[in-house]
Amino acid sequence: MTSIVPTEVVSGQSGRPAHSEPSGRSGQDGFADGRSTEAAELAPRARLLPSLAAVYRAQISRARVARIPLLFVATFQSVGIMVLMRGVVDGGSEARAVVAGSTVLVVAFVALNLLAQYFGQLRAGGGLDHYATLPVPPAAVVLGAAGAYASFTVPGTIVTAVAGSVLFGLPMTHLWVLVAVIPLSGAALSGLGAALGLLAPRQELATLLGQLGMSAALLLGVLPADRLPEPIGWARDLLPSTYGVEALARSFDAHPDWAVVALDLAVCAVVGILSLAVATWAYRRAAVR
């Protein structure tokens, strides 16, 4: 049968196949008109401070309900220790040591113990993989979580300090020093807790290390330094919370030596920076394994 369709319609005006396109358009899908086929560059990584703020808000909203009962337990524990010590300590430097150590113990319970458990659980459950996919610096993850956990200690720390001052008859004139003691002690203990949780090979070991760290803060911080054997005193000097305890204890004096208080807080700040740096390194190490 002879076709009545013109040959030009079937094969095209220039003899090319019917599905071919003019040379000027044939590479349109492959960007043959001069546009590059290379992949576009990724957006720059988020900056540290905005990332830190975002992680901090996320941690605060996530842990607000779960951590409040634990904060109550930490405060009740510290107040109970002061009540027990009231029967054997009358006053003076020993009373100041007991109140200061019990106050910082609230920070140790939350910032060291609970944070070690949190990062240990996060590593064991694969939660670090989620954070590793986010375009945020590792320091923002560590600092945001540490700051959130340290923030939960503020109410309990203030309640413990006020209750201890009333219980032992200590002046509350200089309790404003808590404004520096809480964040600096919290930074040092949070960094230590995060490092323990991230470096522990198993979640159970991270929990154990967190408990041991809190017990060390209890024994070495609450007990007066002059009652401890000399080797134990050396271990006390290595504990990050010791310098926050010393600064707070000196603030109960009628005329505090503010130069020594500032020195204790400076040491606490340096230890906090070092511990958070170690925790950031431990996060990088755990996230890529």
Side-chain angles (χ1 to χ4, degrees), residues 128-224:
L128 290 181
D129 296 337
H130 165 71
Y131 282 108
T133 59
L134 299 177
V136 297
V141 178
V142 175
L143 293 176
Y149 274 72
S151 298
F152 279 109
T153 68
V154 174
T157 303
I158 295 175
V159 169
T160 303
V162 172
S165 300
V166 173
L167 188 63
F168 286 91
L170 299 177
M172 292 185 280
T173 308
H174 303 121
L175 278 185
W176 55 263
V177 78
L178 287 173
V179 174
V181 170
I182 293 175
L184 295 179
S185 298
L189 293 172
S190 296
L192 179 60
L196 292 176
L198 290 167
L199 293 176
R202 297 176 57 187
Q203 179 181 351
E204 296 80 6
L205 186 57
T207 301
L208 175 61
L209 292 175
Q211 292 282 351
L212 290 177
M214 188 196 67
S215 299
L218 167 61
L219 296 176
L220 302 179
V222 174
L223 295 179

Side-chain angles (χ1 to χ4, degrees), residues 174 250-258:
H174 303 121
R250 288 189 173 93
S251 70
F252 288 119
D253 295 337
H255 302 285
D257 189 344
W258 294 114

Side-chain angles (χ1 to χ4, degrees), residues 111-112 115-116 186-197 213 238-240 271-272 275-276 279:
L112 194 160
L115 196 60
L189 293 172
S190 296
L192 179 60
L196 292 176
L238 297 176
L239 191 66
V271 174
S275 64
L276 289 171

Side-chain angles (χ1 to χ4, degrees), residues 6-254:
T7 305
E8 291 82 356
V9 176
V10 177
S11 60
Q13 296 295 331
S14 58
R16 286 186 298 271
H19 296 289
S20 63
E21 296 178 340
S23 58
R25 299 177 57 194
S26 61
Q28 199 169 28
D29 292 337
F31 302 104
D33 58 349
R35 287 181 289 173
S36 173
T37 59
E38 296 179 359
E41 295 183 2
L42 295 176
R45 293 177 64 87
R47 291 176 296 173
L48 176 61
L49 292 182
S51 302
L52 174 60
V55 174
Y56 177 82
R57 288 194 300 267
Q59 289 290 335
I60 286 289
S61 62
R62 171 191 172 276
R64 182 183 295 121
V65 176
R67 301 307 174 194
I68 287 179
L70 295 174
L71 178 59
F72 174 79
V73 171
T75 306
F76 182 80
Q77 170 185 261
S78 294
V79 174
I81 290 172
M82 290 190 299
V83 172
L84 291 176
M85 295 297 292
R86 185 66 180 85
V88 296
V89 174
D90 294 330
S93 61
E94 295 179 349
R96 293 193 291 269
V98 169
V99 175
S102 300
T103 301
V104 178
L105 181 62
V106 178
V107 183
F109 181 85
V110 178
L112 194 160
N113 182 28
L114 296 185
L115 196 60
Q117 295 182 32
Y118 170 72
F119 273 109
Q121 180 183 7
L122 201 65
R123 179 181 179 184
L128 290 181
D129 296 337
H130 165 71
Y131 282 108
T133 59
L134 299 177
V136 297
V141 178
V142 175
L143 293 176
Y149 274 72
S151 298
F152 279 109
T153 68
V154 174
T157 303
I158 295 175
V159 169
T160 303
V162 172
S165 300
V166 173
L167 188 63
F168 286 91
L170 299 177
M172 292 185 280
T173 308
H174 303 121
L175 278 185
W176 55 263
V177 78
L178 287 173
V179 174
V181 170
I182 293 175
L184 295 179
S185 298
L189 293 172
S190 296
L192 179 60
L196 292 176
L198 290 167
L199 293 176
R202 297 176 57 187
Q203 179 181 351
E204 296 80 6
L205 186 57
T207 301
L208 175 61
L209 292 175
Q211 292 282 351
L212 290 177
M214 188 196 67
S215 299
L218 167 61
L219 296 176
L220 302 179
V222 174
L223 295 179
D226 55 359
R227 297 275 187 97
L228 298 175
E230 187 174 357
I232 304 296
W234 296 339
R236 184 176 183 272
D237 293 337
L238 297 176
L239 191 66
S241 60
T242 297
Y243 304 97
V245 172
E246 291 292 337
L248 182 58
R250 288 189 173 93
S251 70
F252 288 119
D253 295 337

